[in-house]
Amino acid sequence: MIGANKMRYPENEKLEEWLAQETQEAVLEPERPIIDPHHHLWDIRSATEEPFARFQQKAYLCEEVCNDIRESGHNIVQTVFAQCNAFDKADGPDEMRCVGETEFVAGIAAMSRSGLYGPVRVCTGIFSTANLNLGQAVEPVLQAHLAASPNFRGIRSAFPSDLNDEFMAGYAVLDEYHLSFDNYSPNYERLPALANLANAYPDVPVIVNHLGGKIDPNATPDEIVKWQGCIDVIAGSPNALMKVGGAQQRVGSWEPPFHMHQRATPIGSVELCNLLYPYYSYVIEAFGPERCMFESNFPVDKECISYRTLWNAFKRIADRAGLSESEKKAIFGGTAARAYRLSPL
């Protein structure tokens, strides 16, 4: 197995050395099958602009993600690649350059299918991006994504608050091709506008990333109430689903208190569960487990926690929330399989 002999990038060593200081935990429920519906792949060693310049994991390709999964001891069976402008084309029409990302990820999926990196099948689902402000003219871009990989499932992009005609014409093409729409903004106050978008095309799955916005464990009571209200609004859209994760990430220059720059050693799953459980439990209650999916958001969240410890924390959250076995099956993979049209667990 190729992954058994790591090819380490020296640019990643600082992060790896910090993670190596953690007290390794026993794997909880190691047999439970999991679909990780949100991770990135990239080579940003030459990046000089934000947000990439600040990320600590500079190279994260097939071997790196498969190593994280294998060494975690969790039973990750499939993954979904999340848009990050990785390997966009350097030439050609501007609107078509994003297709390079899907072409790149299709190659990673093929590498994974070889079995040389372990049994997990990475990138069985792919969402990239496209400029929906092109209106109907975005159709050739989406067609090119679909031609680049049979695993292409949708896009992630920003959206205008006024939901203008040009953008909505482009969004209608997602509906025509049965594609999904992922979205993330650290500003959770945008969620009501996202709900309006979801309601306009109820057959398009709208997948909210990272608990709907920046998650600050030190938020004031007023801020928490505002976030809860926005969560309630988007949860009211039946075609909206929530990725329950990403709370372990830096947002701009702000870093959570358990980031590698804030702690000498990585946080454990019990401590993380205790710290963030109110956020996770609120979202799970608002959406229901059948519309929620735990996500790793690696390697972004890797700056705060190891892959093993993160999934242990998710399993502790599920137990603390009193989820039934059928509810666990949904939140650990069933929802992701349905949202991204993957092989069921």
Side-chain angles (χ1 to χ4, degrees):
M1 184 186 300
I2 289 177
N5 298 309
K6 287 187 179 181
M7 178 183 70
R8 293 190 180 275
Y9 293 94
E11 294 86 353
N12 294 339
E13 287 179 358
K14 183 179 178 181
L15 175 57
E16 291 172 353
E17 289 171 357
W18 180 75
L19 286 169
Q21 297 178 68
E22 77 168 351
T23 300
Q24 194 168 78
E25 302 181 356
V27 180
L28 302 177
E29 301 182 36
E31 301 303 318
R32 178 175 296 284
I34 296 169
I35 295 173
D36 181 350
H38 194 109
H39 71 83
H40 307 290
L41 297 165
W42 58 44
D43 184 346
I44 55 172
R45 287 175 289 172
S46 61
T48 58
E49 297 181 359
E50 296 299 344
F52 297 113
R54 196 173 297 172
F55 287 136
Q56 297 298 308
Q57 180 90 26
K58 300 301 183 182
Y60 201 67
L61 300 168
C62 187
E63 187 169 9
E64 286 68 46
V65 67
C66 290
N67 281 341
D68 277 341
I69 289 170
R70 187 187 67 255
E71 294 171 3
S72 77
H74 294 285
N75 185 22
I76 313 296
V77 295
Q78 297 183 70
T79 76
V80 175
F81 169 84
Q83 172 270 333
C84 56
N85 299 109
F87 297 93
D88 286 357
K89 295 179 181 179
D91 55 16
D94 287 347
E95 69 273 13
M96 297 296 292
R97 293 185 180 187
C98 58
V99 179
E101 180 169 67
T102 299
E103 293 172 344
F104 153 67
V105 181
I108 297 292
M111 292 172 71
S112 172
R113 287 198 305 272
S114 73
L116 292 174
Y117 299 86
V120 62
R121 294 296 174 259
V122 301
C123 308
T124 55
I126 299 169
F127 62 93
S128 184
T129 196
N131 181 8
L132 298 184
N133 291 309
L134 293 169
Q136 184 66 35
V138 77
E139 185 173 13
V141 181
L142 297 176
Q143 290 174 335
H145 278 300
L146 288 161
S149 174
N151 298 354
F152 180 72
R153 296 293 184 266
I155 70 161
R156 180 169 74 163
S157 81
F159 65 94
S161 296
D162 64 356
L163 300 181
N164 59 70
D165 291 344
E166 292 79 10
F167 178 85
M168 293 305 289
Y171 194 85
V173 183
L174 294 181
D175 189 29
E176 180 181 347
Y177 282 85
H178 307 291
L179 298 172
S180 60
F181 182 76
D182 271 70
N183 180 260
Y184 174 67
S185 170
N187 179 10
Y188 53 79
E189 293 187 73
R190 298 213 71 212
L191 291 176
L194 182 60
N196 291 337
L197 178 59
N199 295 338
Y201 284 90
D203 291 331
V204 176
V206 170
I207 304 167
V208 186
N209 296 177
H210 313 333
L211 295 174
K214 173 184 172 183
I215 300 299
D216 183 355
N218 298 316
T220 67
D222 285 347
E223 290 171 334
I224 293 172
V225 168
K226 287 181 181 178
W227 171 79
Q228 290 174 337
C230 293
I231 291 295
D232 291 343
V233 173
I234 187 64
S237 299
N239 55 320
L241 303 101
M242 176 63 77
K243 285 183 175 172
V244 189
Q248 298 74 226
Q249 69 171 325
R250 171 179 56 82
V251 178
S253 61
W254 174 86
E255 295 171 344
F258 40 83
H259 189 273
M260 64 181 291
H261 295 156
Q262 307 296 325
R263 286 179 60 113
T265 58
I267 195 168
S269 64
V270 173
E271 185 179 355
L272 186 70
C273 176
N274 290 338
L275 186 64
L276 296 180
Y277 180 76
Y279 293 95
Y280 282 91
S281 62
Y282 193 88
V283 163
I284 293 169
E285 179 68 25
F287 278 81
E290 71 284 353
R291 289 199 289 148
C292 288
M293 51 186 117
F294 286 125
E295 53 155 336
S296 75
N297 193 35
F298 260 46
V300 178
D301 286 23
K302 192 173 181 178
E303 297 180 13
C304 292
I305 194 168
S306 71
Y307 202 83
R308 172 184 291 198
T309 303
L310 178 60
W311 286 98
N312 269 358
F314 290 153
K315 290 174 180 178
R316 292 186 189 280
I317 289 166
D319 282 340
R320 187 167 171 180
L323 300 189
S324 67
E325 182 55 35
S326 63
E327 290 171 332
K328 287 182 179 180
K329 186 174 181 180
I331 202 170
F332 281 103
T335 302
R338 187 177 75 253
Y340 292 112
R341 292 176 282 125
L342 309 178
S343 299
L345 293 177

